[in-house]
Amino acid sequence: MFPSQPAQMDRLLSANEVKAIIGKRHSWLYEAIKSGAFPKPRKIGRRNSWPASEVNAWMAALPRAA
């Protein structure tokens, strides 16, 4: 039996897209991953990809500027 509506697929973002969205450099991104401060990527072949929902959740959890 199939659901009446298809499941929403989460878009996968490349490293370049993630860097553009969060406004950080390549070195910052991979240091943050290593330290656990940023979500780990998914390996798709040789490419690192992040689900857009995880990047959005990370951004939503950032402290707001006063």
Side-chain angles (χ1 to χ4, degrees), residues 6-62:
Q8 186 71 5
M9 293 190 66
D10 201 1
R11 182 169 184 272
L12 293 175
L13 303 172
S14 69
N16 286 337
E17 290 173 310
V18 170
K19 290 184 293 185
I21 291 168
I22 65 173
K24 300 288 185 181
R25 301 172 102 184
H26 183 85
S27 57
W28 182 93
L29 177 62
Y30 285 94
E31 283 297 320
I33 292 165
K34 190 175 180 179
S35 71
F38 195 81
K40 290 184 179 182
R42 306 299 192 278
K43 199 72 149 165
I44 309 294
R46 294 176 54 184
R47 183 178 162 202
N48 285 329
S49 300
W50 288 261
S53 61
E54 289 185 14
V55 175
N56 290 334
W58 177 84
M59 290 176 44
L62 293 175

